[in-house]
Amino acid sequence: MALYNEQELKIYNSISGEKEVFKPINEGNIGMYVCGPTVYSNVHLGNCRTFISFDLVFRYLKHLGYKVRYVRNITDAGHLENDADSGEDRIAKKARLEQIEPMEVVQKYTVDFHNILQKFNNLPPSIEPTATGHIVEQIEIIKEIIEKGYAYVENGSVYFDVLKFNESHDYGKLSGRKLEDMIPNTRELTAQSDKKNPQDFALWKKAEPQHIMRWPSPWSDGFPGWHLECTVMSSKYLGEEFDIHGGGMDLKFPHHECEIAQGEAATGKNPVHYWMHANMLTLNGKKMAKSTGNNILPNEIFTGDNPNLEKGFAPTVARFFMLQAHYRSILDFSNEALLASEKGFNRLMDAYHLLDELKTSEKSSFEVAAWKQKCYDAMNDDFNSPILIAQLFEAVKQINVINEGKAGITASDLEELKKTFHDFIFEVLGLVDTAEAADNDTGTKLAGTVELLIKLRAEARANKDFATSDKIRDQLLELGIQLKDGKEGTSFSLN
């Protein structure tokens, strides 16, 4: 029986403002969409926090036994500066500044994004579609919205008619804004005059002559609106209605509000059942900003090469730090906070390694089954990772007491404790055992070093320098490394 049948998961739904019991549309299957990065620069730490938060969600849903299709897009066109409907495309601007092709920009920063998330031990999504790979589908959905009467064409651009939509729908229900009170979320630029109302937003933009990212459409050579991309990619891979849509808190309005409007206008259905939003990350109590220097890139955490840090930290320590706060709360990043997290992480790992050394007894003084359910209760309460971590530290105390011989644990309870500890630390929280990783790293370096010595020995033999050749073989043997010469070359084994 799948674990999800035994656990009642509640998710805070941004659209209702309440925690709701999670019921997937199709039993045992979950469709989850998360807004991915616009790949025009190195991924910043705030984005990493969002993706780590949804990696936790993905991991826990899988742990419960759900089959999850996790879609996270790559925005590689159409996202204009200041999230506006006018101005320059962020990627095209970077391409112009660096004097390279836009797709070179996309490739460079997509690779960076993947590398950083891999270091944080994020699982890859099931599908990672790109905006430029779905231009045809975007044009088709625009046609549908125009046919339904919720969009209009003006000078080669297509705009969503928010006032018309609001006559029969509730535009603003996610962000809690009333249309009459809304101030346009765009700058006052000349192109704004194409709109009937300032609240309207672009579905398709006619490209200016200098705009290098452009595609043919029935209305003009142009490019899709940023909001439209996510509507198209989520509905293509998850259906017109799906379970969970996530993203950063800053995307709630206008991006996600517009997604809802586009989905409802095109299909008449409520596209998303549970909206989830991860909160922001601050640095030393202030908003991160490159202009003020109050900024840090993920790689700088790992190397320590940043004035805000006194040393480098392992990626898993930084991940552990982020998971010590609930995904919906603001988290302040600082050198002191990372140092404290590192100490906590090491305590957790020490206790995990101690489990293999514990001696069993006839009776248990630690109620493992009750503790295990508390771990599930924490995650079932809107993925409350800080409470889960607190429960893991309760177990750390018990492990140390048992190790000191002041308490006992039965063999069956110890096995249950080991499995639960392992599952929540590595499967759910996605942490990495740094000691094990260091061992693997050392093994890789050792193999490389021996291969180098084998090459040097082969060169010595080719030069008839048998004294050096024998010396390499004999000294490696003294270190417990035996060389074996064969038809296909020389191999080695550890004695």
Side-chain angles (χ1 to χ4, degrees):
M1 182 188 273
L3 271 172
Y4 60 76
N5 288 316
E6 302 167 17
Q7 306 293 334
E8 185 179 77
L9 171 64
K10 288 186 177 179
I11 295 179
Y12 180 87
N13 195 345
S14 298
I15 207 157
S16 66
E18 292 177 0
K19 287 180 191 174
E20 299 175 9
V21 174
F22 177 66
K23 289 182 180 169
I25 296 166
N26 299 304
E27 190 182 341
N29 294 274
I30 294 172
M32 179 168 85
Y33 185 89
V34 173
C35 291
T38 300
V39 281
Y40 71 101
S41 65
N42 295 105
V43 62
H44 67 74
L45 207 54
N47 277 348
C48 289
R49 187 199 178 188
T50 295
F51 299 127
I52 287 169
S53 296
F54 286 104
D55 184 60
L56 173 76
V57 172
F58 182 37
R59 284 172 173 275
Y60 187 60
L61 294 174
K62 280 162 67 77
H63 173 76
L64 290 179
Y66 285 109
K67 185 179 178 185
V68 187
R69 179 178 285 177
Y70 174 19
V71 182
R72 187 185 65 214
N73 73 300
I74 295 282
T75 294
D76 56 355
H79 193 174
L80 306 188
E81 293 176 279
N82 304 311
D83 298 347
D85 278 340
S86 302
E88 201 167 0
D89 185 291
R90 292 180 175 190
I91 290 162
K93 182 180 180 181
K94 192 63 172 258
R96 180 173 56 77
L97 293 173
E98 294 191 8
Q99 295 188 310
I100 57 175
E101 280 287 327
M103 284 302 139
E104 284 183 78
V105 173
V106 166
Q107 177 69 6
K108 177 181 176 180
Y109 294 114
T110 301
V111 168
D112 169 71
F113 173 66
H114 288 150
N115 286 343
I116 293 297
L117 289 197
Q118 194 173 23
K119 285 178 182 175
F120 279 124
N121 200 33
N122 275 26
L123 298 173
S126 319
I127 303 173
E128 193 172 50
T130 63
T132 55
H134 296 77
I135 299 294
V136 171
E137 292 91 337
Q138 291 176 75
I139 289 169
E140 289 307 307
I141 203 170
I142 293 171
K143 288 179 185 173
E144 286 179 44
I145 296 171
I146 291 172
E147 281 171 23
K148 301 274 175 69
Y150 294 119
Y152 56 91
V153 184
E154 195 67 50
N155 293 332
S157 291
V158 185
Y159 294 99
F160 190 92
D161 193 333
V162 171
L163 291 185
K164 178 73 188 297
F165 175 78
N166 202 52
E167 288 171 9
S168 51
H169 298 77
D170 183 8
Y171 183 80
K173 62 183 173 185
L174 177 65
S175 57
R177 302 181 183 213
K178 294 206 181 302
L179 191 55
E180 55 271 23
D181 301 334
M182 282 185 198
I183 298 164
N185 202 57
T186 53
R187 296 173 299 162
E188 286 298 332
L189 294 167
T190 349
Q192 298 266 54
S193 58
D194 285 347
K195 298 180 184 182
K196 286 183 185 174
N197 303 287
Q199 294 91 344
D200 296 348
F201 56 89
L203 300 176
W204 186 266
K205 284 291 294 177
K206 180 182 179 181
E208 300 296 327
Q210 71 275 14
H211 199 102
I212 46 181
M213 298 181 82
R214 59 205 297 143
W215 292 266
S217 82
W219 314 287
S220 65
D221 273 11
F223 52 92
W226 172 41
H227 312 310
L228 189 74
E229 299 167 359
C230 288
T231 292
V232 163
M233 289 184 276
S234 61
S235 61
K236 174 166 182 174
Y237 297 108
L238 300 174
E240 293 173 347
E241 287 186 83
F242 58 94
D243 300 296
I244 298 170
H245 192 316
M249 199 77 81
D250 56 322
L251 296 179
K252 193 184 280 189
F253 186 87
H255 187 54
H256 291 160
E257 198 74 73
C258 294
E259 278 190 61
I260 293 172
Q262 291 164 163
E264 290 184 352
T267 68
K269 296 175 183 174
N270 171 30
V272 178
H273 287 206
Y274 300 86
W275 282 94
M276 296 179 68
H277 291 94
N279 216 323
M280 62 187 285
L281 193 64
T282 56
L283 178 60
N284 298 320
K286 296 173 187 170
K287 188 178 176 182
M288 287 198 198
K290 286 181 187 173
S291 54
T292 60
N294 196 55
N295 189 56
I296 187 167
L297 288 171
N299 269 328
E300 293 172 347
I301 299 169
F302 313 149
T303 62
D305 186 19
N306 184 287
N308 292 291
L309 298 175
E310 65 181 64
K311 69 186 215 41
F313 295 89
T316 198
V317 169
R319 181 185 177 99
F320 180 62
F321 162 73
M322 293 195 208
L323 294 174
Q324 282 180 293
H326 190 263
Y327 77 90
R328 283 192 290 114
S329 63
I330 292 174
L331 174 61
D332 189 51
F333 201 89
S334 69
N335 183 68
E336 291 69 30
L338 273 174
L339 286 168
S341 282
E342 188 175 54
K343 280 183 186 171
F345 175 81
N346 290 336
R347 273 181 60 217
L348 193 61
M349 287 299 133
D350 288 346
Y352 174 70
H353 292 133
L354 204 54
L355 283 168
D356 287 329
E357 297 174 28
L358 294 187
K359 291 175 182 169
T360 57
S361 59
E362 289 181 11
K363 286 185 179 178
S364 283
S365 48
F366 178 31
E367 292 184 17
V368 175
W371 165 79
K372 177 181 174 180
Q373 188 53 49
K374 284 179 183 175
C375 291
Y376 279 104
D377 291 345
M379 287 303 290
N380 291 338
D381 183 18
D382 192 31
F383 310 96
N384 202 323
S385 56
I387 299 296
L388 168 62
I389 290 168
Q391 288 301 334
L392 292 174
F393 278 113
E394 279 301 313
V396 168
K397 285 183 200 169
Q398 296 294 332
I399 290 164
N400 288 325
V401 169
I402 294 164
N403 184 55
E404 289 161 10
K406 296 175 184 174
I409 189 165
T410 62
S412 60
D413 272 357
L414 180 57
E415 281 311 303
E416 184 91 18
L417 176 58
K418 277 183 184 177
K419 185 176 186 318
T420 308
F421 221 56
H422 177 276
D423 288 355
F424 278 104
I425 292 172
F426 303 115
E427 269 187 31
V428 176
L429 292 175
L431 301 177
V432 173
D433 186 344
T434 45
E436 194 178 293
D439 287 346
N440 292 340
D441 191 38
T442 302
T444 306
K445 286 175 181 173
L446 173 65
T449 305
V450 175
E451 292 295 342
L452 175 63
L453 289 167
I454 287 171
K455 280 183 188 173
L456 292 173
R457 178 171 171 263
E459 285 173 16
R461 291 171 80 181
N463 295 329
K464 313 276 189 210
D465 182 2
F466 297 112
T468 301
S469 162
D470 292 347
K471 188 177 182 183
I472 290 172
R473 182 197 62 207
D474 295 343
Q475 290 198 355
L476 281 173
L477 191 58
E478 283 175 25
L479 294 168
I481 300 166
Q482 184 174 10
L483 299 185
K484 296 172 185 174
D485 295 316
K487 288 179 184 176
E488 294 178 5
T490 303
S491 61
F492 73 93
S493 62
L494 302 178
N495 294 338

